[in-house]
PDB file of all heavy atoms in Angstrom:
ATOM      1  N   VAL A 184     -13.418   2.266   5.926  1.00 88.00           N
ATOM      2  CA  VAL A 184     -12.643   2.819   4.817  1.00 88.00           C
ATOM      3  C   VAL A 184     -11.229   3.068   5.322  1.00 88.00           C
ATOM      4  O   VAL A 184     -11.037   3.715   6.357  1.00 88.00           O
ATOM      5  CB  VAL A 184     -13.263   4.123   4.291  1.00 88.00           C
ATOM      6  CG1 VAL A 184     -12.413   4.703   3.161  1.00 88.00           C
ATOM      7  CG2 VAL A 184     -14.679   3.872   3.805  1.00 88.00           C
ATOM      8  N   VAL A 185     -10.242   2.558   4.603  1.00 92.00           N
ATOM      9  CA  VAL A 185      -8.837   2.687   4.986  1.00 92.00           C
ATOM     10  C   VAL A 185      -8.197   3.744   4.094  1.00 92.00           C
ATOM     11  O   VAL A 185      -8.266   3.654   2.869  1.00 92.00           O
ATOM     12  CB  VAL A 185      -8.091   1.345   4.847  1.00 92.00           C
ATOM     13  CG1 VAL A 185      -6.671   1.465   5.359  1.00 92.00           C
ATOM     14  CG2 VAL A 185      -8.839   0.243   5.591  1.00 92.00           C
ATOM     15  N   LYS A 186      -7.567   4.750   4.725  1.00 91.00           N
ATOM     16  CA  LYS A 186      -6.921   5.835   3.990  1.00 91.00           C
ATOM     17  C   LYS A 186      -5.476   5.960   4.449  1.00 91.00           C
ATOM     18  O   LYS A 186      -5.149   5.615   5.592  1.00 91.00           O
ATOM     19  CB  LYS A 186      -7.648   7.162   4.215  1.00 91.00           C
ATOM     20  CG  LYS A 186      -9.102   7.165   3.756  1.00 91.00           C
ATOM     21  CD  LYS A 186      -9.756   8.512   3.984  1.00 91.00           C
ATOM     22  CE  LYS A 186     -11.199   8.523   3.505  1.00 91.00           C
ATOM     23  NZ  LYS A 186     -11.845   9.837   3.719  1.00 91.00           N
ATOM     24  N   ASP A 187      -4.633   6.470   3.551  1.00 90.00           N
ATOM     25  CA  ASP A 187      -3.234   6.692   3.922  1.00 90.00           C
ATOM     26  C   ASP A 187      -3.091   8.029   4.634  1.00 90.00           C
ATOM     27  O   ASP A 187      -4.085   8.744   4.875  1.00 90.00           O
ATOM     28  CB  ASP A 187      -2.325   6.611   2.698  1.00 90.00           C
ATOM     29  CG  ASP A 187      -2.682   7.644   1.638  1.00 90.00           C
ATOM     30  OD1 ASP A 187      -3.423   8.597   1.945  1.00 90.00           O
ATOM     31  OD2 ASP A 187      -2.216   7.505   0.490  1.00 90.00           O
ATOM     32  N   ALA A 188      -1.860   8.389   4.959  1.00 88.00           N
ATOM     33  CA  ALA A 188      -1.628   9.619   5.716  1.00 88.00           C
ATOM     34  C   ALA A 188      -2.011  10.860   4.931  1.00 88.00           C
ATOM     35  O   ALA A 188      -2.290  11.910   5.528  1.00 88.00           O
ATOM     36  CB  ALA A 188      -0.157   9.690   6.135  1.00 88.00           C
ATOM     37  N   ASP A 189      -2.061  10.775   3.599  1.00 88.00           N
ATOM     38  CA  ASP A 189      -2.436  11.913   2.764  1.00 88.00           C
ATOM     39  C   ASP A 189      -3.932  11.982   2.490  1.00 88.00           C
ATOM     40  O   ASP A 189      -4.384  12.879   1.770  1.00 88.00           O
ATOM     41  CB  ASP A 189      -1.685  11.859   1.433  1.00 88.00           C
ATOM     42  CG  ASP A 189      -0.182  11.960   1.625  1.00 88.00           C
ATOM     43  OD1 ASP A 189       0.241  12.635   2.578  1.00 88.00           O
ATOM     44  OD2 ASP A 189       0.569  11.344   0.832  1.00 88.00           O
ATOM     45  N   GLY A 190      -4.706  11.037   3.036  1.00 85.00           N
ATOM     46  CA  GLY A 190      -6.147  11.048   2.833  1.00 85.00           C
ATOM     47  C   GLY A 190      -6.622  10.288   1.620  1.00 85.00           C
ATOM     48  O   GLY A 190      -7.827  10.268   1.339  1.00 85.00           O
ATOM     49  N   GLU A 191      -5.726   9.620   0.896  1.00 88.00           N
ATOM     50  CA  GLU A 191      -6.126   8.835  -0.278  1.00 88.00           C
ATOM     51  C   GLU A 191      -6.698   7.495   0.177  1.00 88.00           C
ATOM     52  O   GLU A 191      -6.121   6.823   1.032  1.00 88.00           O
ATOM     53  CB  GLU A 191      -4.939   8.615  -1.218  1.00 88.00           C
ATOM     54  CG  GLU A 191      -4.396   9.882  -1.841  1.00 88.00           C
ATOM     55  CD  GLU A 191      -5.379  10.502  -2.816  1.00 88.00           C
ATOM     56  OE1 GLU A 191      -6.194   9.733  -3.403  1.00 88.00           O
ATOM     57  OE2 GLU A 191      -5.349  11.732  -2.979  1.00 88.00           O
ATOM     58  N   THR A 192      -7.816   7.106  -0.412  1.00 88.00           N
ATOM     59  CA  THR A 192      -8.468   5.849  -0.032  1.00 88.00           C
ATOM     60  C   THR A 192      -7.678   4.662  -0.569  1.00 88.00           C
ATOM     61  O   THR A 192      -7.375   4.594  -1.766  1.00 88.00           O
ATOM     62  CB  THR A 192      -9.908   5.809  -0.567  1.00 88.00           C
ATOM     63  OG1 THR A 192     -10.645   6.912  -0.020  1.00 88.00           O
ATOM     64  CG2 THR A 192     -10.588   4.506  -0.177  1.00 88.00           C
ATOM     65  N   LEU A 193      -7.353   3.736   0.326  1.00 90.00           N
ATOM     66  CA  LEU A 193      -6.633   2.532  -0.059  1.00 90.00           C
ATOM     67  C   LEU A 193      -7.585   1.382  -0.366  1.00 90.00           C
ATOM     68  O   LEU A 193      -7.408   0.662  -1.341  1.00 90.00           O
ATOM     69  CB  LEU A 193      -5.662   2.126   1.055  1.00 90.00           C
ATOM     70  CG  LEU A 193      -4.592   3.144   1.436  1.00 90.00           C
ATOM     71  CD1 LEU A 193      -3.755   2.635   2.595  1.00 90.00           C
ATOM     72  CD2 LEU A 193      -3.702   3.462   0.243  1.00 90.00           C
ATOM     73  N   VAL A 194      -8.591   1.202   0.477  1.00 89.00           N
ATOM     74  CA  VAL A 194      -9.535   0.096   0.287  1.00 89.00           C
ATOM     75  C   VAL A 194     -10.788   0.387   1.096  1.00 89.00           C
ATOM     76  O   VAL A 194     -10.746   1.111   2.105  1.00 89.00           O
ATOM     77  CB  VAL A 194      -8.903  -1.254   0.724  1.00 89.00           C
ATOM     78  CG1 VAL A 194      -8.665  -1.275   2.224  1.00 89.00           C
ATOM     79  CG2 VAL A 194      -9.754  -2.435   0.276  1.00 89.00           C
ATOM     80  N   ASP A 195     -11.899  -0.155   0.625  1.00 87.00           N
ATOM     81  CA  ASP A 195     -13.182  -0.038   1.324  1.00 87.00           C
ATOM     82  C   ASP A 195     -13.602  -1.442   1.756  1.00 87.00           C
ATOM     83  O   ASP A 195     -13.908  -2.286   0.919  1.00 87.00           O
ATOM     84  CB  ASP A 195     -14.221   0.576   0.393  1.00 87.00           C
ATOM     85  CG  ASP A 195     -15.463   1.055   1.142  1.00 87.00           C
ATOM     86  OD1 ASP A 195     -15.566   0.745   2.343  1.00 87.00           O
ATOM     87  OD2 ASP A 195     -16.310   1.730   0.532  1.00 87.00           O
ATOM     88  N   MET A 196     -13.592  -1.683   3.056  1.00 88.00           N
ATOM     89  CA  MET A 196     -13.874  -3.032   3.580  1.00 88.00           C
ATOM     90  C   MET A 196     -15.382  -3.233   3.691  1.00 88.00           C
ATOM     91  O   MET A 196     -15.965  -3.153   4.784  1.00 88.00           O
ATOM     92  CB  MET A 196     -13.199  -3.212   4.932  1.00 88.00           C
ATOM     93  CG  MET A 196     -11.742  -2.766   4.993  1.00 88.00           C
ATOM     94  SD  MET A 196     -10.628  -3.929   4.210  1.00 88.00           S
ATOM     95  CE  MET A 196     -10.611  -5.242   5.413  1.00 88.00           C
ATOM     96  N   ILE A 197     -16.046  -3.515   2.572  1.00 85.00           N
ATOM     97  CA  ILE A 197     -17.502  -3.603   2.564  1.00 85.00           C
ATOM     98  C   ILE A 197     -18.010  -5.036   2.588  1.00 85.00           C
ATOM     99  O   ILE A 197     -19.206  -5.255   2.773  1.00 85.00           O
ATOM    100  CB  ILE A 197     -18.071  -2.876   1.330  1.00 85.00           C
ATOM    101  CG1 ILE A 197     -17.522  -3.489   0.043  1.00 85.00           C
ATOM    102  CG2 ILE A 197     -17.773  -1.398   1.399  1.00 85.00           C
ATOM    103  CD1 ILE A 197     -18.127  -2.908  -1.222  1.00 85.00           C
ATOM    104  N   GLU A 198     -17.114  -6.019   2.417  1.00 86.00           N
ATOM    105  CA  GLU A 198     -17.532  -7.416   2.387  1.00 86.00           C
ATOM    106  C   GLU A 198     -17.052  -8.130   3.648  1.00 86.00           C
ATOM    107  O   GLU A 198     -15.877  -8.019   4.017  1.00 86.00           O
ATOM    108  CB  GLU A 198     -16.986  -8.127   1.153  1.00 86.00           C
ATOM    109  CG  GLU A 198     -17.504  -7.587  -0.166  1.00 86.00           C
ATOM    110  CD  GLU A 198     -18.986  -7.856  -0.352  1.00 86.00           C
ATOM    111  OE1 GLU A 198     -19.496  -8.798   0.293  1.00 86.00           O
ATOM    112  OE2 GLU A 198     -19.630  -7.124  -1.116  1.00 86.00           O
TER     113      GLU A 198
END
Side-chain angles (χ1 to χ4, degrees):
V184 178
V185 185
K186 299 181 179 180
D187 60 15
D189 298 328
E191 295 292 332
T192 300
L193 300 177
V194 67
D195 195 351
M196 313 284 286
I197 59 175
E198 296 293 337

